[in-house]
Amino acid sequence: MNLIAAIDQGTSSTRVIVFEAGKINVVASHQIEVQQFCPQEGWMEQDAIELWTSVQDCIKIVAAQLTKTGSTIQDIKAIGLTNQRESTIIWDRTTGKPLCPSIVWCDARNGTLVKELCEKFGQDYLRTKTGLPIATYFSATKLLWLIKNNPEVKGAIEKKTVMFGTVDSWILWNLTGGIQDGVHFTDVTNASRTMLMNLNTLDWDKELLEFFEVPDHILPGIRPSSDIFGTVKGGEFDGIQITGIIGDQQAALLGHGCTNKGEAKSTYGTGCFLLYNTGNEMVKSEHGLLTTVAYQCAGKPANFALEGSVAVAGSAVRWLQNNLGLINKSSEISELAAKVESTDGVYFVPAFSGLFAPYWKPDARGIFCGLTAHTTKHHIARSVLEATCFQVMDIFQAMRADSKSDLCHVLVDGGMTASKEMLQIQADIAGVDVICPQFNEITAVGAAVAAGATVNLWNLGQKMDNIVKYSPKISSEEREKMTKKWKMAVERSLGWHTD
Ligand code: ADP
């Protein structure tokens, strides 16, 4: 049996899943949680070494499982790598050690810097080239913050002793031999989120590099998502080729088989990301969405997508658990929320580090609105689930306006979709059919598809067969009433954070 291995390095956890090539048949898998550190208000860091170690540990365990199934490591014909995007890592090319913790995608320490850039140039100054607004989210503003605020990083860049990479490049470099012979590449989807790549040329852009003071010698080479990146050196996967790299949200799009123009998916993980395939056309957003690369196969033109990114989705569930102690594990939020039929007027805006799409407001902060003496933890729990769904509804509205299509259904996946309550609320609030496959590791499937396509062992565009559909149950009047209140709550969260 031919096998394809997928490595999925996410914000909450790392997974390695081995699939039968071309099929949703999991032969072996393992998942390890990774830590997130919040040393200051608005900051979010991870230990880059921990991210790499978790990949190695997953590989070890998966390899041991494989031998018990009668398959061998030699049956793995290719490896696909997918990853949390934008998170920024700087490491020493001779020691292999990171110079500082990974600055995670939702970290907003660069808020003041971003505010200054926006005031000086305008938020959409670089949109034509990058498809992105100037925001705390993208790697370039994180890199610029490091260059301006971390003398060690600045000095090492001047001495040309460091490499920059998003998580894919860091893991690839380590997988392929690190300081010995590690290769330094990224793929077009990850590169499109650094804010340093020109969407028209699919290459680093001189003007963008100058704007963000980034020298090109620290950058990885950019390749198509389905391409040969290198060969694993050492460990249980030694000798296997890495033939696919793709950012996690784009991987989910491929995993759902959304390869046709007009198809959309929404992934509810730590954050939530809705991607709408626009084919070979780059659609410029007029409503706060991002234009991004969806995927590219070697030798073919790139496919593009419109994306709505929501910074806080599942992380608000984790916050209820870790910071408020209202639940002991994520799954308990549904039990609490199901005890009430509505929030009875409670609205929660989880703008923990500002609001992403379609608002792009770094100065927003989280708020609960409409609390009364009648409010219970059940209402709070429900308002947290609703908050994700309202944010996605905002994205739907922007997506319909930008794409000029009516978008009446969406394919979904991610940790939060384990909550059936949330899926029904989403269908109700957005007024769309929500289609959830029974198999939930869609991001890993996308990585396997990207890698398998390179070695002709996986066809693009395969859809999941076992699905559950959630249709809207509330009236449009009720939806409008709730939407109006949500918009009022968002208004109240804006401009809260001041220097
Ligand atoms: P990522 O890919 O960003 O690491 P995952 O797709 O693994 O994230 O999803 C993890 C998130 O999903 C966590 O924030 C967790 O709180 C949330 N989550 C997991 N199970 C549930 C559940 N049953 N109900 C609601 N949220 C959940």
Side-chain angles (χ1 to χ4, degrees):
M1 194 193 323
N2 287 327
L3 306 176
I4 307 280
I7 299 172
D8 175 1
Q9 202 309 293
T11 322
S12 310
S13 70
T14 300
R15 302 155 169 96
V16 172
I17 303 182
V18 180
F19 295 94
E20 182 180 349
K23 295 206 174 124
I24 309 303
N25 176 22
V26 174
V27 181
S29 74
H30 192 68
Q31 176 172 3
I32 294 175
E33 297 240 328
V34 290
Q35 296 179 81
Q36 298 149 17
F37 305 97
C38 190
Q40 289 187 39
E41 189 256 335
W43 290 37
M44 180 70 83
E45 298 181 340
Q46 287 189 303
D47 176 1
I49 297 283
E50 184 191 350
L51 302 185
W52 164 230
T53 310
S54 68
V55 170
Q56 288 175 297
D57 291 347
C58 282
I59 289 176
K60 270 192 204 112
I61 292 165
V62 159
Q65 286 175 12
L66 260 191
T67 51
K68 287 189 197 139
T69 65
S71 294
T72 66
I73 305 287
Q74 286 70 39
D75 295 330
I76 302 179
K77 301 302 176 212
I79 297 172
L81 172 60
T82 181
N83 57 290
Q84 52 169 311
R85 308 167 302 171
E86 298 99 9
S87 302
T88 297
I89 304 176
I90 296 272
W91 69 96
D92 186 299
R93 57 173 81 233
T94 52
T95 65
K97 293 218 170 77
L99 263 60
C100 53
S102 166
I103 303 184
V104 181
W105 56 271
C106 50
D107 182 298
R109 72 184 65 184
N110 48 2
T112 308
L113 185 64
V114 164
K115 198 166 160 230
E116 283 164 12
L117 289 175
C118 290
E119 278 165 8
K120 197 161 166 200
F121 300 97
Q123 194 163 38
D124 285 335
Y125 183 63
L126 303 173
R127 215 183 239 281
T128 313
K129 274 191 175 176
T130 64
L132 315 170
I134 298 174
T136 56
Y137 183 23
F138 308 107
S139 318
T141 53
K142 298 182 193 301
L143 251 178
L144 182 58
W145 184 92
L146 274 174
I147 292 167
K148 288 191 182 297
N149 293 280
N150 186 324
E152 202 192 339
V153 168
K154 187 169 191 285
I157 287 179
E158 278 161 8
K159 277 198 243 139
K160 301 195 174 180
T161 54
V162 286
M163 290 173 158
F164 152 81
T166 40
V167 171
D168 55 315
S169 300
W170 166 244
I171 302 295
L172 175 73
W173 187 78
N174 279 296
L175 276 173
T176 53
I179 52 172
Q180 302 293 334
D181 1 51
V183 297
H184 194 208
F185 290 115
T186 186
D187 89 299
V188 275
T189 64
N190 278 293
S192 75
R193 319 298 296 210
T194 57
M195 216 170 185
L196 299 170
M197 189 185 85
N198 185 326
L199 283 180
N200 298 289
T201 61
L202 301 181
D203 205 351
W204 304 122
D205 184 276
K206 201 164 160 285
E207 269 175 23
L208 295 171
L209 296 186
E210 274 168 22
F211 186 88
F212 290 109
E213 301 174 30
V214 175
D216 59 3
H217 61 80
I218 68 168
L219 298 171
I222 304 177
R223 295 247 167 118
S225 334
S226 285
D227 201 352
I228 297 169
F229 285 87
T231 304
V232 177
K233 298 248 162 57
E236 290 73 7
F237 282 179
D238 185 54
I240 307 173
Q241 278 192 327
I242 298 137
T243 63
I245 294 186
I246 183 162
D248 55 5
Q249 301 311 321
Q250 285 89 341
L253 193 75
L254 269 195
H256 277 294
C258 294
T259 47
N260 296 316
K261 194 172 170 172
E263 291 176 327
K265 71 89 206 178
S266 184
T267 302
Y268 301 76
T270 307
C272 181
F273 305 86
L274 206 156
L275 267 75
Y276 175 89
N277 189 332
T278 60
N280 297 130
E281 191 190 348
M282 248 184 282
V283 176
K284 188 175 172 224
S285 175
E286 305 287 343
H287 299 88
L289 303 178
L290 312 176
T291 309
T292 202
V293 180
Y295 59 90
Q296 186 192 21
C297 295
K300 303 247 173 72
N303 267 60
F304 293 91
L306 275 171
E307 172 174 327
S309 327
V310 167
V312 175
S315 51
V317 179
R318 283 240 174 134
W319 174 79
L320 271 195
Q321 177 188 327
N322 299 335
N323 296 35
L324 300 195
L326 220 58
I327 50 176
N328 294 312
K329 53 182 198 289
S330 297
S331 55
E332 286 177 15
I333 191 171
S334 289
E335 294 157 34
L336 279 188
K339 293 248 162 49
V340 285
E341 279 185 9
S342 85
T343 64
D344 280 338
V346 176
Y347 287 77
F348 172 51
V349 184
F352 291 158
S353 49
L355 284 171
F356 281 8
Y359 305 99
W360 300 107
K361 295 286 186 203
D363 60 3
R365 283 298 176 269
I367 50 162
F368 280 102
C369 291
L371 302 177
T372 67
H374 167 74
T375 303
T376 64
K377 59 183 176 182
H378 306 117
H379 299 109
I380 298 285
R382 198 171 180 93
S383 74
V384 169
L385 291 183
E386 281 193 357
T388 292
C389 302
F390 277 120
Q391 292 183 95
V392 172
M393 177 212 66
D394 283 334
I395 304 291
F396 266 110
Q397 290 184 344
M399 204 69 92
R400 287 190 186 111
D402 272 338
S403 67
K404 300 181 179 59
S405 69
D406 65 353
L407 248 190
C408 47
H409 74 269
V410 66
L411 295 157
V412 300
D413 65 291
M416 255 189 115
T417 60
S419 167
K420 293 187 173 63
E421 213 65 39
M422 196 275 303
L423 293 171
Q424 185 57 52
I425 295 172
Q426 184 65 86
D428 288 341
I429 285 179
V432 298
D433 285 337
V434 171
I435 298 166
C436 187
Q438 301 274 28
F439 185 76
N440 199 24
E441 297 294 349
I442 307 292
T443 306
V445 173
V449 172
T454 312
V455 291
N456 294 319
L457 287 174
W458 215 306
N459 295 326
L460 297 186
Q462 275 172 239
K463 300 277 192 293
M464 295 281 153
D465 5 328
N466 287 324
I467 52 155
V468 184
K469 186 161 108 178
Y470 296 81
S471 296
K473 285 186 179 156
I474 63 170
S475 67
S476 50
E477 289 76 30
E478 200 172 338
R479 183 174 309 123
E480 266 167 43
K481 218 168 87 189
M482 291 169 82
T483 305
K484 202 168 150 206
K485 280 279 183 181
W486 161 255
K487 303 256 181 203
M488 283 167 65
V490 169
E491 274 300 312
R492 282 160 172 76
S493 76
L494 303 181
W496 187 261
H497 180 72
T498 50
D499 300 330

